Amino acid sequence: MSGVTDLDALRRELAENSGQPEGPARNARAEELLAEAERLDVPLAVIEALGHLLRVYNYSSEKDRMFVPFARLLRMWDERPGDFDEDETHSLHWFFKWMSAGMLDQPHIPLASVEKWLGEMEHRYRLAGHSERAVRSAEFSVAAHVGDLARAERAYAAWLAADRDGMADCHACELGAQGAWQVRCGRDARALELWRPVLDGEFSCAHEPHTVLAASLGPLLRLGRVEEARAHHLRGFRLVRPMESMRGAYADHVEFCALTGNEARALELLAERPAYFTDTGQPRSRLDFLAVVTLLMDRLTGLGLGERQVPGPAGRTWTARELAGHARVEATELAGRFDRRNGTSCVGDRIRARMAQRPLVERLPLGVRAARPATAPVTAPPPLPGGTTRETAERTGGQTAEEATAPGLPALLAEARRLSDTLRPHALEAWAAVARAARDGAALEPRDRAEIADHEAMALGAEGIALFERAAELYAEAGDPGEALAARARGAYVRALAGEVDAALDTVTGLYDEVLALYADEGTGVRQTASVVMSRARILMRRVHESAGGVGAGTGEDAVADAEAAVREVLALVEGHGGDDVRPAARAAEARAMLAELAGLRGDAGRAAELFRRAAGAYVAAGLPWFAVEYEAQVAALAHHAGDLDETERALRAALEHGGPYLEPVGRAQLHLQLAEVLGGRDAAGEAAEHALEAAHWADEAGESGTLGAWARQQLGGFLLREARYAEAAEVLESALADLRAETHGDGAVVQTRWWLGDCLGELGEHRAAAEHRLKAADIARHWPEQQDHATLAHLAAESLGAAGLADEADRAYVRAGDLWRALGNAPFLVRALRARAWLALRGEFGARDARALMAQAVRECEAALAAAGPADRAELTDELGGTHRQFAELLARSASEEAEDPAIRAAFEAALEQMTRAAAVFGALGAAGLHSRTGAELGAGWLEADLNRPARAAAHARAVLAAYEGADDTDETVRARRTEAAQMLEAARDEGGEEPPDPPPALRT
């Protein structure tokens, strides 16, 4: 117990408890305070404590406990209304609305009781002189809940037609409910129109836009506005997460994840709120939650993940399949209780429809980390072609069921050859399917078996060298000696890739001589010959890359020359050939890319880029754009190094376009991230964010969430911050921070992420959390050789601590920042730290005295720096000095209200006037650059003169300001504001009898 001894102390305790997080702890404290209020024997104390208890119950999971305290409060009103002051009278009538909604949410309360209460509310409101707007809103809620659509429409119209008064819900809540009705009626677009003022921040309250952001997710998805839906999820979930009473909105976010391919994130959300499965205080929100849990678990089961362990009610472990069954039974039973109470099937129909929803988007990247659950293997066989049943297939030809479901071997062979002959993606997979279907290959021709072995060897890499030999033997048996040599040459290249470059070169040299002789005798074609010649060129390129001496150092230069000659031989062989065969064109393109590499090794970046571009263009012209990706990426790297951002952007976009669906996830992630960084550097943060989002998504798909994905999220968060999308940025940056590690990503990335996150949280008003991140970043940066970032972060942390009301901690952080600014020789920021400390000190035990001392120190520091400054720094320091004098004046004037005696107040105002006059003089020294600052200070001095009952001097300041702007551009907002204020000052001076001043103030003579 706190030992509350009077009404004022009780009110302080009630206010403190109101600021605590929603939940049982706050409710329990409210109950304790009611007991303490009862001991005061002051009726108003009990009334206020009961009102507080009602509020905390309403905004918690214990809404069912509101009815008893309200009944007591209403009885007190009926017996002694004079005990209620104006505020508590208003609150009592406001609580009627909560009781109406609260009864509707409890299926054990008969509908007749709800209707009776609605009539009581209408009667009480009429007696109190309130509009019927809130009553009709409550009637609408009852009618909509039970499915009486005609009554609901009538009540809806009457609600909107009635006058707004003090009992009407706030604009945000009313628009939220009106939009929800439009969704119920199938008018999604109209709902979003109604919600727009809430979503844009024009109207807000304690629970809005929280609810509207959640409710908008489904309509946005159905309308195809997926980017907005993603933004609303990230922004809205951040608001809902800490609020226990918002289970219904929380369920909307889980549902959104289940409908957009983000099942893993949905499971994370469930794990955060285990109590939501069992809290019974508000059955209607529990029903919505259980329906969404069923939807999610059915989705997981449909993906083959029914046996996956998932979060569920405490006390046991749950699989998705088990939880789906449990939640469906609970939801169906609870919906049935509502419907039996209501005498309709409305609630059950809605819940069944909600549980039966299908995904609206296959996969919507969110930017936050949540790896997609891997689908389990499908155990049921696919349907047979032509409608053939498994039983029939098993009776024919002695085939197994698995064999009967696959295409025939000839069809598989034809498809595999089509893909490999045209260099299509997935050719290796097609040959693997042939190998599985062929089993031992006894029924195949040697040529077929040769191709199977050849492609299996390609898939195996270094482990497939022996298979290349087997393929060569089979090609020879099939009467194709050229292809046999090509297979052996491929094996030699794989050996080079494994590090055996010299042995590979010896082998391929012999094969090269053989194939040229064979080609000269017309024993093989260009295709086979080019394959051997290209293998030789590739091996020579490997020797270049592994040459220890490097270019220009003995064997390195020789290696480059040999490789270039081999590459040019490829070009000479294949150019002019082709027709329907794409391989010669592909060989020529690859050869040009090799020449590009060699040009780069020689230091000719321009030539390298041009050849990479030609290689990429050749692949695209041949209808093989996926091979162009690597070379466009090379062009992008070279262009970026040269500072050519236009070409960098073009090449990266081309790489993404050419890769299409064939890019591996990790490659796609890298390209998107590179493009995001380029666009970000070109001040296109919006589009950069889109590419960073894609990068994060594909990194997750590649299993690189903790490495490449963390980088992408960090960049995405930064771009969202630049777009002023603070809530989204904060969610993304917090997700990135969970994976960023100094040893992996560098401590600079960690510092930058916490820095950005602190900026976001500061904009969101979460100042304590912002300070925590800024302090942690500062602690890392304190070990860096360059201390500019350390000082800046310490200063920012101090600002956050001050905004959070932690004055002592803020002062210590400003001292730390000031010491760093002094060491860095940064006088302006040292002065700002001292000024900030002065304002903080004004709140302290020795407020005015310490504040004045610190502000005086700031003036001295600035004057000393100005005296020692060179020409380049004088203007900045002069402006800083003027600003310090002005703030000193404002601080002195503010501190005057704390002085006990009138003479002390007058002395403070005189001192403030002296500082403001100095500010005007200092700003005047800046000429035109300091005009607005000077006039602002002179107006400040004028108001101080007015406060000191010297209207004539105040008028002189006003006239000086008007003179300063004579002939100035009136479209300038500052000019208009200064003129308006000066005119107001003149008017006030005339009203006080002030005419001409006996002597102009010194500031006006400068």
Side-chain angles (χ1 to χ4, degrees):
M1 294 292 179
S2 60
V4 171
T5 57
D6 56 33
L7 184 57
D8 287 341
L10 175 68
R11 285 171 171 167
R12 286 194 295 271
E13 293 290 337
L14 294 175
E16 181 180 350
N17 196 46
S18 294
Q20 298 304 307
E22 295 177 354
R26 186 170 74 157
N27 295 357
R29 179 59 181 149
E31 292 162 3
E32 292 175 358
L33 290 172
L34 175 58
E36 296 197 33
E38 290 167 338
R39 283 194 288 274
L40 293 177
D41 196 26
V42 177
L44 185 57
V46 176
I47 291 168
E48 291 187 11
L50 281 168
H52 174 69
L53 185 60
L54 278 164
R55 290 184 184 91
V56 299
Y57 280 158
N58 185 62
Y59 296 118
S60 77
S61 61
E62 298 180 310
K63 292 193 176 188
D64 56 338
R65 302 181 66 183
M66 291 191 301
F67 304 110
V68 172
F70 181 74
R72 180 181 175 186
L73 195 63
L74 187 59
R75 185 171 62 253
M76 293 176 71
W77 167 264
D78 288 337
E79 292 173 355
R80 295 172 58 100
D83 289 341
F84 288 70
D85 63 13
E86 183 178 352
D87 289 341
E88 294 308 318
T89 299
H90 180 275
S91 295
L92 173 72
H93 287 82
W94 188 272
F95 295 151
F96 269 90
K97 299 188 296 181
W98 292 357
M99 294 306 108
S100 177
M103 287 181 176
L104 204 59
D105 289 347
Q106 306 293 330
H108 70 278
I109 298 179
L111 190 61
S113 297
V114 177
E115 294 284 6
K116 180 181 178 181
W117 184 258
L118 187 61
E120 178 73 11
M121 177 181 174
E122 184 171 10
H123 172 67
R124 299 268 186 167
Y125 273 41
R126 188 179 299 115
L127 287 177
H130 295 306
S131 164
E132 67 171 10
R133 189 177 183 94
V135 177
R136 299 283 78 82
S137 173
E139 181 190 5
F140 162 76
S141 298
V142 173
H145 174 68
V146 302
D148 187 344
L149 300 186
R151 182 187 180 192
E153 288 287 6
R154 290 194 303 272
Y156 184 87
W159 167 24
L160 269 60
D163 292 336
R164 282 188 57 83
D165 68 349
M167 282 298 113
D169 285 340
C170 73
H171 284 289
C173 287
E174 284 205 333
L175 290 173
Q178 291 162 20
W181 175 242
Q182 299 302 320
V183 172
R184 173 92 172 265
C185 296
R187 299 188 283 263
D188 288 339
R190 176 56 181 153
L192 291 166
E193 289 176 15
L194 283 167
W195 286 333
R196 182 54 52 197
V198 183
L199 295 170
D200 289 347
E202 182 180 345
F203 301 124
S204 63
C205 67
H207 285 70
E208 291 296 358
H210 315 45
T211 304
V212 164
L213 283 165
S216 71
L217 297 172
L220 287 169
L221 289 176
R222 288 190 290 272
L223 292 171
R225 293 159 62 175
V226 294
E227 292 81 8
E228 290 177 74
R230 173 178 51 243
H232 286 199
H233 169 64
L234 293 176
R235 178 181 161 203
F237 183 69
R238 185 172 194 84
L239 296 173
V240 169
R241 177 187 274 145
M243 304 184 75
E244 183 198 47
S245 64
M246 302 204 70
R247 178 165 53 185
Y250 201 98
D252 290 340
H253 286 281
V254 176
E255 178 184 57
F256 166 80
C257 293
L259 297 177
T260 57
N262 288 286
E263 300 84 5
R265 178 163 171 85
L267 291 175
E268 291 175 0
L269 304 196
L270 292 187
E272 286 190 28
R273 284 290 188 180
Y276 276 174
F277 288 97
T278 53
D279 285 342
T280 58
Q282 191 192 28
R284 187 146 59 150
S285 72
R286 182 167 184 259
L287 176 58
D288 286 328
F289 184 76
L290 289 169
V292 166
V293 169
T294 305
L295 168 69
L296 173 61
M297 296 306 137
D298 282 348
R299 172 69 178 151
L300 291 170
T301 302
L303 290 171
L305 296 166
E307 303 311 310
R308 174 174 175 154
Q309 187 170 323
V310 295
R316 56 162 288 186
T317 58
W318 296 88
T319 66
R321 194 185 314 278
E322 291 169 340
L323 186 55
H326 169 81
R328 178 175 285 103
V329 169
E330 292 273 308
T332 302
E333 189 278 330
L334 187 50
R337 289 171 56 198
F338 276 106
D339 284 343
R340 285 190 295 274
R341 190 271 302 270
N342 299 337
T344 67
S345 64
C346 179
V347 173
D349 292 343
R350 180 177 62 83
I351 290 303
R352 284 185 288 274
R354 191 167 196 179
M355 293 190 293
Q357 291 178 97
R358 305 300 302 162
L360 296 171
V361 180
E362 182 179 352
R363 176 68 160 155
L364 176 61
L366 301 178
V368 293
R369 181 182 184 180
R372 188 173 194 175
T375 54
V378 178
T379 54
L384 303 183
T388 307
T389 67
R390 178 170 299 282
E391 182 181 0
T392 303
E394 288 176 344
R395 289 178 187 159
T396 58
Q399 288 181 300
T400 66
E402 184 177 353
E403 291 169 334
T405 63
L409 186 55
L412 288 173
L413 265 171
E415 177 63 9
R417 284 202 177 104
R418 184 188 72 81
L419 292 175
S420 58
D421 287 347
T422 56
L423 300 179
R424 299 288 148 176
H426 308 308
L428 291 179
E429 291 92 327
W431 281 106
V434 172
R436 288 192 298 272
R439 291 191 166 183
D440 59 7
L444 295 175
E445 296 295 326
R447 176 75 189 199
D448 301 332
R449 286 183 281 132
E451 289 182 85
I452 292 171
D454 201 1
H455 287 90
E456 185 178 354
M458 294 178 199
L460 289 173
E463 297 177 3
I465 292 175
L467 269 176
F468 280 118
E469 289 297 323
R470 175 61 182 154
E473 293 170 3
L474 289 166
Y475 280 128
E477 184 180 341
D480 192 341
E483 201 62 59
L485 293 171
R488 290 193 173 97
R490 286 190 283 273
Y493 176 55
V494 170
R495 179 165 290 174
L497 290 176
E500 300 179 40
V501 177
D502 291 339
L505 189 56
D506 289 342
T507 300
V508 83
T509 299
L511 298 171
Y512 167 78
D513 292 338
E514 287 186 57
V515 81
L516 288 182
L518 192 62
Y519 179 63
D521 291 340
E522 299 184 354
T524 192
V526 170
R527 173 171 162 174
Q528 293 82 359
T529 306
S531 181
V532 176
V533 175
M534 177 57 80
S535 292
R536 176 172 173 266
R538 288 170 176 168
I539 293 169
L540 286 167
M541 287 295 294
R542 290 296 301 173
R543 190 176 70 161
V544 168
H545 290 300
E546 295 188 4
S547 176
V551 176
T555 58
E557 184 59 50
D558 293 340
V560 169
D562 290 344
E564 182 172 354
V567 171
R568 294 195 180 281
E569 191 171 351
V570 173
L571 282 170
L573 179 64
V574 299
E575 286 189 326
H577 295 276
D580 294 334
D581 189 353
V582 298
R583 288 180 185 270
R587 300 292 188 208
E590 184 181 354
R592 287 193 175 86
M594 289 176 172
L595 292 175
E597 287 185 62
L598 294 172
L601 288 169
R602 288 192 170 107
D604 190 347
R607 175 65 174 160
E610 173 59 28
L611 287 167
F612 277 130
R613 274 191 294 270
R614 290 178 62 187
Y619 274 124
V620 173
L624 306 170
W626 46 86
F627 287 116
V629 173
E630 177 185 353
Y631 305 129
E632 290 287 13
Q634 292 279 11
V635 172
L638 289 166
H640 193 269
H641 183 72
D644 186 348
L645 294 184
D646 286 338
E647 178 63 4
T648 305
E649 181 181 340
R650 182 212 63 78
L652 289 170
R653 290 187 188 279
L656 284 166
E657 179 185 352
H658 296 330
Y662 305 115
L663 273 173
E664 290 294 324
V666 69
R668 188 183 296 272
Q670 290 168 338
L671 289 171
H672 276 296
L673 185 55
Q674 291 170 32
L675 183 53
E677 291 170 346
V678 170
L679 290 167
R682 309 192 78 179
D683 205 25
E687 189 181 0
E690 295 173 12
H691 286 283
L693 176 67
E694 288 294 318
H697 164 64
W698 290 109
D700 289 344
E701 291 289 311
E704 296 288 339
S705 294
T707 50
L708 183 59
W711 275 116
R713 271 180 273 280
Q714 193 243 17
Q715 290 296 302
L716 172 59
F719 296 135
L720 291 171
L721 171 61
R722 284 166 58 180
E723 290 283 287
R725 294 158 65 179
Y726 303 117
E728 297 169 65
E731 281 291 301
V732 171
L733 290 168
E734 285 172 348
S735 181
L737 199 57
D739 287 318
L740 287 170
R741 299 289 181 272
E743 56 273 18
T744 304
H745 304 92
D747 55 10
V750 178
V751 167
Q752 183 63 81
T753 305
R754 289 195 183 277
W755 192 328
W756 282 339
L757 186 51
D759 292 347
C760 292
L761 295 173
E763 293 290 344
L764 294 170
E766 300 176 36
H767 300 296
R768 188 183 292 261
E772 179 182 349
H773 285 291
R774 286 168 166 173
L775 287 170
K776 287 181 177 178
D779 283 341
I780 298 172
R782 74 190 308 164
H783 303 295
W784 293 355
E786 170 54 54
Q787 288 290 284
Q788 177 75 23
D789 287 340
H790 180 198
T792 303
L793 285 162
H795 199 118
L796 290 171
E799 290 180 0
S800 295
L801 290 165
L806 303 171
D808 291 342
E809 293 87 340
D811 185 71
R812 287 194 292 271
Y814 275 124
V815 170
R816 173 182 176 184
D819 290 343
L820 290 164
W821 293 129
R822 189 186 301 279
L824 288 166
N826 191 324
F829 276 90
L830 169 60
V831 169
R832 291 171 198 177
L834 288 166
R835 292 199 309 245
R837 290 183 63 202
W839 286 108
L840 284 171
L842 195 58
R843 313 178 201 169
E845 182 180 357
F846 303 103
R849 185 194 68 186
D850 291 348
R852 292 168 183 173
L854 284 163
M855 199 64 84
Q857 184 183 351
V859 169
R860 290 194 299 273
E861 292 284 357
C862 203
E863 288 175 339
L866 185 57
D873 299 324
R874 291 194 62 80
E876 180 186 5
L877 285 166
T878 299
D879 185 67
E880 203 68 51
L881 178 59
T884 305
H885 281 301
R886 177 166 186 168
Q887 286 200 33
F888 201 168
E890 292 166 352
L891 182 141
L892 289 165
R894 179 134 357 139
S895 70
S897 62
E898 301 176 0
E899 305 287 357
E901 303 293 334
D902 285 347
I905 295 175
R906 187 171 185 85
F909 272 70
E910 291 284 8
L913 177 60
E914 180 184 354
Q915 292 294 331
M916 196 67 81
T917 303
R918 289 180 183 177
V922 171
F923 287 134
L926 293 171
L931 176 61
H932 291 333
S933 296
R934 179 195 171 197
T935 55
E938 288 184 341
L939 287 169
W943 291 119
L944 286 166
E945 294 280 17
D947 288 335
L948 290 165
N949 297 317
R950 296 198 287 254
R953 285 183 176 274
H957 281 285
R959 292 190 188 94
V961 170
L962 292 173
Y965 287 120
E966 189 173 348
D969 182 5
D970 199 46
T971 62
D972 185 302
E973 186 176 340
T974 303
V975 172
R976 291 201 308 273
R978 292 283 194 271
R979 282 173 170 167
T980 299
E981 187 176 353
Q984 292 170 345
M985 186 177 293
L986 277 174
E987 183 67 26
R990 278 193 289 268
D991 291 344
E992 291 295 322
E995 296 299 333
E996 294 298 323
D999 190 35
L1004 301 182
R1005 295 198 295 268
T1006 60

